[in-house]
Amino acid sequence: MLTVMEEKIASTEVPIIPKQEIPASNVVEQKIKIQTKGVNLHYGEFHALKGITMTMQEKTVTALIGPSGCGKSTYLRLFNRMNDLIPNVNIEGYVLVDGKDIYERGVHVDELRKNVGMVFQKPNPFPKTIFENVAYGLRVNGITDKNFIAERVERSLEQAALWDEVKDKMKKSAFELSGGQQQRLCIARALAVEPSILLMDEPASALDPISSAKIEELIYELKSKYTIIIVTHNMQQAGRVSDHTAFFYMGELIETNTTKEIFTNPQNIRTQNYITGRFG
């Protein structure tokens, strides 16, 4: 029997659930988790983000799509303040997580990054054992209880759908894992410190199709506990894993809507041209 994700992977169409088929008693108003209001970002004189206003709901997956250099990865990095590390960056506007402006004075970036995990395009395990890769964030945050760390490592690997594959290899180097396993290890490392938000910058672009499918399955499962934002160039992947999609072009947010609406009924001609492959 196919899993839910395998059925979605087998189809390039976004499943449509007519509103009238959803009982009113089951409709739950979702909490707004992330907001940006009028965000402008400059790298020196280059205007990378232009007045971005957008809202993301709790425990959903939002896909950021658009051609290379359109600003989607820059936008993603707003939420754990990684753009702070780039020289000559100037940010205007408001970036709110749980209603709080994360760029206000007095915000502790280390605390923010515990709440906002990050997974990069290429797997980047540390030159440590599998166990120590996942335990790293816990140790950095001063946790010394061996039993607690062991339990958290196991749970994080289970969440990342990797535990069964590595439970007998915990003392081996993370570099002995395959590329797909390394990426799931990096996801487990991000989950170990219990964030509520997970940022993923093209997490499957460097992987083979089977490993990519496992990452997509994992994203689909994780959204029951985490708010996820994923940057992807893969239109089919965005259609399979995301609830909402935002199309960026030349630093502007052109259109954002449910993924179903973006892919079946885009309101902007530039969105339509991009998702049908006419440019990008």
Side-chain angles (χ1 to χ4, degrees):
M1 181 178 293
L2 294 176
T3 66
V4 174
M5 179 52 65
E6 286 170 336
E7 291 175 348
K8 295 184 81 177
I9 290 172
S11 171
T12 58
E13 295 182 357
V14 178
I16 299 174
I17 304 175
K19 291 182 180 179
Q20 62 267 26
E21 292 184 9
I22 303 176
S25 60
N26 291 341
V27 176
V28 179
E29 185 175 346
Q30 289 175 297
K31 172 187 173 183
I32 293 174
K33 184 69 174 178
I34 301 169
Q35 284 182 290
T36 58
K37 300 180 180 181
V39 169
N40 288 279
L41 184 145
H42 291 80
Y43 296 122
E45 296 183 0
F46 176 65
H47 198 174
L49 295 176
K50 303 172 182 177
I52 309 297
T53 295
M54 186 173 166
T55 298
M56 284 163 269
Q57 295 172 323
E58 186 178 48
K59 296 179 182 177
T60 58
V61 180
T62 300
L64 310 181
I65 64 172
S68 296
C70 67
K72 55 190 184 295
S73 290
T74 296
Y75 185 71
L76 184 78
R77 291 194 298 265
L78 284 174
F79 304 113
N80 67 350
R81 293 188 51 169
M82 284 196 67
N83 292 314
D84 293 10
L85 305 174
I86 302 172
N88 301 318
V89 165
N90 182 45
I91 301 171
E92 301 169 348
Y94 299 92
V95 181
L96 308 178
V97 173
D98 292 324
K100 297 180 181 179
D101 187 353
I102 64 173
Y103 284 83
E104 279 187 345
R105 287 186 177 182
V107 170
H108 295 284
V109 177
D110 290 342
E111 289 295 319
L112 171 68
R113 289 175 182 160
K114 281 167 46 178
N115 187 46
V116 185
M118 181 84 178
V119 178
F120 296 92
Q121 181 176 359
K122 294 182 179 180
N124 61 336
F126 299 147
K128 298 175 180 288
T129 65
I130 293 169
F131 182 93
E132 288 301 331
N133 262 270
V134 184
Y136 179 81
L138 302 172
R139 297 195 193 283
V140 166
N141 284 289
I143 296 174
T144 58
D145 187 313
K146 291 182 179 180
N147 291 331
F148 179 87
I149 292 173
E151 290 173 3
R152 183 70 65 79
V153 167
E154 179 176 344
R155 186 172 67 187
S156 300
L157 287 166
E158 287 175 343
Q159 285 183 295
L162 189 59
W163 172 249
D164 288 341
E165 298 171 41
V166 302
K167 61 184 178 182
D168 298 322
K169 307 176 183 177
M170 300 296 282
K171 294 183 179 181
K172 291 191 174 182
S173 169
F175 295 132
E176 294 185 23
L177 300 176
S178 69
Q181 289 174 323
Q182 287 183 14
Q183 191 66 303
R184 283 181 282 148
L185 179 69
C186 293
I187 293 171
R189 188 174 66 200
L191 297 178
V193 294
E194 296 193 323
S196 64
I197 297 168
L198 193 59
L199 311 178
M200 310 182 96
D201 195 352
E202 298 192 63
S205 65
L207 305 179
D208 62 85
I210 293 175
S211 296
S212 295
K214 288 183 179 180
I215 296 294
E216 290 181 15
E217 176 81 34
L218 178 57
I219 293 169
Y220 191 78
E221 293 172 355
L222 288 175
K223 76 173 183 178
S224 64
K225 295 183 179 180
Y226 304 94
T227 303
I228 300 173
I229 311 174
I230 178 173
V231 169
T232 181
H233 278 101
N234 187 320
M235 296 300 97
Q236 289 77 24
Q237 183 177 82
R240 289 189 293 260
V241 305
S242 67
D243 303 291
H244 298 84
T245 296
F247 172 55
F248 283 73
Y249 183 63
M250 296 184 70
E252 296 183 30
L253 174 59
I254 304 302
E255 185 172 353
T256 182
N257 208 327
T258 64
T259 297
K260 180 188 75 175
E261 286 295 317
I262 288 288
F263 281 92
T264 62
N265 188 33
Q267 300 301 301
N268 190 288
I269 188 64
R270 289 175 289 183
T271 309
Q272 181 177 348
N273 287 342
Y274 182 74
I275 63 175
T276 56
R278 293 177 188 170
F279 75 93

